[in-house]
Amino acid sequence: GDSVTQMEGPVTLSEEAFLTINCTYTATGYPSLFWYVQYPGEGLQLLLKATKADDKGSNKGFEATYRKETTSFHLEKGSVQVSDSAVYFCALNRPTGTASKLTFGTGTRLQVTL
Amino acid sequence: GAVVSQHPSRVICKSGTSVKIECRSLDFQATTMFWYRQFPKQSLMLMATSNEGSKATYEQGVEKDKFLINHASLTLSTLTVTSAHPEDSSFYICSGAGNSYEQYFGPGTRLTVT
């Protein structure tokens, strides 16, 4: 079945450091890929997505590129801020014309310090 | 983005009792709602998918008689954990999807069964 593997956290960085959170997936066919973020006490929010190979999703300075050859969708940000501290989830689904279920990774907690 | 609320945010109940969790889409009509369960340091695991007015579709291994899901309107879905036991203690998260098929997540409900 489908699965998503992401690096274990927590990841602790100083403000303005470069961020990479690795995500790889196992799925047949051409799933859509997502990064969700969960701030403390809040629900998951969609951060960015990519629906086909070589697509780059970007939002709020975060980027991730859909790499089919390496089945990866790594999240990057050039300069993190304290406000980026949250848990980040990589996920995939299979668009079926209706809302379809998401398969999530375990989540990676990011802590950014001054 | 669209807003989904959950109530209660935390609940403690005694073993053998039932507890109901509400999930509401506040500013959109959720034709599909999903219920997830999250264990500490683990992925969100999909429990069931429900379409308004239809019976929920449960994932393999999820007891439908224990986790009763009702999706009677386009803005409300409920999850009732019947005869709860300590192993049912977990973090339960719902999401709703409307015409755009993007899922909007609630903030989650922490259930503790003593």
Side-chain angles (χ1 to χ4, degrees):
Chain A
D2 297 343
S3 67
V4 175
T5 302
Q6 60 182 106
M7 62 190 290
E8 289 195 23
V11 174
T12 302
L13 295 173
S14 298
E15 200 169 45
E16 299 184 1
F18 185 87
L19 168 72
T20 299
I21 299 178
N22 290 338
C23 171
T24 56
Y25 68 91
T26 301
T28 56
Y30 300 90
S32 294
L33 302 175
F34 305 83
W35 276 101
Y36 283 86
V37 58
Q38 186 176 30
Y39 298 103
E42 299 183 17
L44 276 72
Q45 301 173 25
L46 179 64
L47 181 60
L48 52 84
K49 67 179 181 183
T51 57
K52 61 182 188 294
D54 300 325
D55 265 3
K56 177 185 283 187
S58 61
N59 185 25
K60 299 181 181 179
F62 291 89
E63 293 184 341
T65 301
Y66 190 141
R67 301 285 190 201
K68 187 156 180 65
E69 64 275 14
T70 55
T71 62
S72 66
F73 193 54
H74 304 322
L75 182 68
E76 296 181 337
K77 186 174 185 181
S79 176
V80 294
Q81 305 300 312
V82 172
S83 57
D84 293 326
S85 298
V87 180
Y88 293 82
F89 292 90
C90 185
L92 67 81
N93 79 354
R94 297 176 174 282
T96 60
T98 58
S100 63
K101 66 178 185 180
L102 289 160
T103 300
F104 285 91
T106 54
T108 301
R109 182 175 298 279
L110 170 66
Q111 190 161 354
V112 181
T113 59
L114 291 172
Chain B
V3 180
V4 173
S5 70
Q6 280 185 242
H7 178 80
S9 58
R10 291 176 179 270
V11 58
I12 300 173
C13 70
K14 292 187 176 180
S15 187
T17 62
S18 296
V19 61
K20 180 184 287 187
I21 302 169
E22 293 186 349
C23 176
R24 292 182 185 272
S25 56
L26 300 184
D27 52 3
F28 71 102
Q29 293 184 326
T31 51
T32 305
M33 284 189 167
F34 300 85
W35 285 94
Y36 295 86
R37 183 173 178 176
Q38 185 178 27
F39 293 99
K41 299 185 180 180
Q42 293 191 30
S43 299
L44 278 73
M45 302 299 295
L46 180 67
M47 299 175 67
T49 304
S50 71
N51 292 297
E52 184 263 339
S54 302
K55 288 185 177 179
T57 301
Y58 289 79
E59 295 297 301
Q60 192 172 9
V62 178
E63 299 176 60
K64 61 179 68 176
D65 294 331
K66 180 165 189 64
F67 299 99
L68 301 179
I69 291 171
N70 183 282
H71 189 176
S73 79
L74 288 170
T75 60
L76 174 64
S77 177
T78 61
L79 167 66
T80 301
V81 183
T82 62
S83 186
H85 291 285
E87 58 266 30
D88 299 324
S89 298
S90 193
F91 194 58
Y92 293 88
I93 302 173
C94 72
S95 71
N99 293 333
S100 69
Y101 311 133
E102 179 176 333
Q103 291 186 37
Y104 300 97
F105 287 82
T109 297
R110 172 79 56 195
L111 169 63
T112 303
V113 184
T114 61

